[in-house]
Amino acid sequence: MRSVFVWLLGTLLVVLGVLFVGALPGVGWYGSRIQRGPTGKALVALTFDDGPHPETTRRVLSTLAEFGAHATFFVIGEKAQRYPEVLGEILAGGHEVALHGFKHRWSYAFLRRQALRSDMLNALAVLREQNVPAPLFFRPPVGVVSPPVARVARELGLTLVGWSVRGYDGVGWTKAEAFVRRMCGGLRPGAIALLHDAPERGERVPLGVSRLSLVLAEAERRGLRAVTLGELMASQNEILAKSE
């Protein structure tokens, strides 16, 4: 009986280890990920997960417009299918649409390769139907990258994206002050910020929605311009061209 318990405990620790390592933004064991952009220009990328949502995403769009900022939205396919008009508003505002899977599952990293491929293809099909430019970037639900996730993303021509700063606005127990402190503490050239423009489920308003203006005001105070992830990464080519 004791040997069975030890085996189960060992298995649990291995699974947790896989999840932990796969979620660490600075670790690329399971495939290369973009964690931050080039630091040669005063640019940051704000990225939003789990939308679109007819109320909270529109609040984010309104705040971004107020500051003249742009962002990248990692959308859930089934939500994009449900709210195509919000998806259109994201694009009309000059923002970028990226992929966050068709369904948001905490077990995403443990799905088999074929199930992962089906999920990503379903999400891509929804975006194609809504005339969204083919996305370049993919962030898996919960941010966990397993070997199958990395492989399927690579096969579909999607670049995995992590983050360099996050405020944990996706969880209900994060305090507003702590969120703002974490986010502003990580604002520096090349930063990729992880926020949420919609709750994973339910109607809770993420702090990334309600406190976004404070983050943008701090970025503005530091002389940082919020751009799409695509623009942030493209700035590397501009920097290299000027140095030649």
Side-chain angles (χ1 to χ4, degrees):
M1 186 69 177
R2 183 178 177 182
S3 61
V4 173
F5 174 77
V6 171
W7 180 84
L8 288 173
L9 179 61
T11 301
L12 177 61
L13 290 174
V14 169
V15 170
L16 290 175
V18 168
L19 278 173
F20 181 70
V21 172
L24 286 174
V27 176
W29 286 12
Y30 307 146
S32 60
R33 276 184 287 183
I34 295 174
Q35 308 298 150
R36 64 170 59 250
T39 59
K41 299 182 73 173
L43 304 177
V44 296
L46 302 186
T47 66
F48 293 88
D49 287 6
D50 293 357
H53 186 281
E55 295 182 11
T56 53
T57 300
R58 283 175 170 144
R59 286 179 60 180
V60 168
L61 291 174
S62 176
T63 304
L64 290 170
E66 179 184 343
F67 283 84
H70 292 97
T72 298
F73 291 80
F74 285 83
V75 302
I76 298 292
E78 62 178 358
K79 291 185 180 181
Q81 194 171 49
R82 197 180 313 152
Y83 305 117
E85 68 285 355
V86 183
L87 200 62
E89 290 171 27
I90 291 173
L91 294 173
H95 307 291
E96 181 178 43
V97 172
L99 200 65
H100 199 41
F102 184 77
K103 286 183 176 291
H104 196 294
R105 316 180 206 190
W106 280 74
S107 60
Y108 198 87
F110 293 100
L111 295 178
R112 292 188 173 186
R113 182 171 165 235
Q114 190 54 44
L116 288 167
R117 185 177 181 84
S118 177
D119 179 274
M120 292 184 208
L121 285 174
N122 286 341
L124 289 170
V126 169
L127 298 184
R128 188 164 55 249
E129 289 168 4
Q130 303 301 332
N131 297 316
V132 174
L136 300 175
F137 305 112
F138 173 64
R139 178 183 287 142
V142 199
V144 177
V145 177
S146 63
V149 167
R151 181 176 179 181
V152 174
R154 185 170 59 250
E155 290 171 349
L156 295 179
L158 297 167
T159 299
L160 290 167
V161 177
W163 57 85
S164 62
V165 56
R166 66 185 300 185
Y168 295 94
D169 63 326
V171 293
W173 59 78
T174 299
K175 301 296 185 184
E177 297 79 7
F179 164 76
V180 174
R181 185 173 61 253
R182 289 193 191 103
M183 291 302 303
C184 292
L187 287 178
R188 53 181 58 91
I192 296 176
L194 168 61
L195 305 101
H196 294 79
D197 64 307
E200 178 189 339
R201 56 180 60 87
E203 295 300 320
R204 180 183 60 81
V205 177
L207 291 168
V209 176
S210 62
R211 298 296 189 275
L212 177 59
S213 61
L214 297 178
V215 176
L216 286 169
E218 180 61 19
E220 194 174 78
R221 188 186 72 81
R222 298 184 186 186
L224 298 170
R225 184 162 62 93
V227 299
T228 66
L229 185 58
E231 185 175 348
L232 176 67
M233 300 313 297
S235 68
Q236 179 66 61
N237 296 331
E238 297 175 17
I239 295 168
L240 291 174
K242 290 180 179 179
S243 66
E244 291 177 354

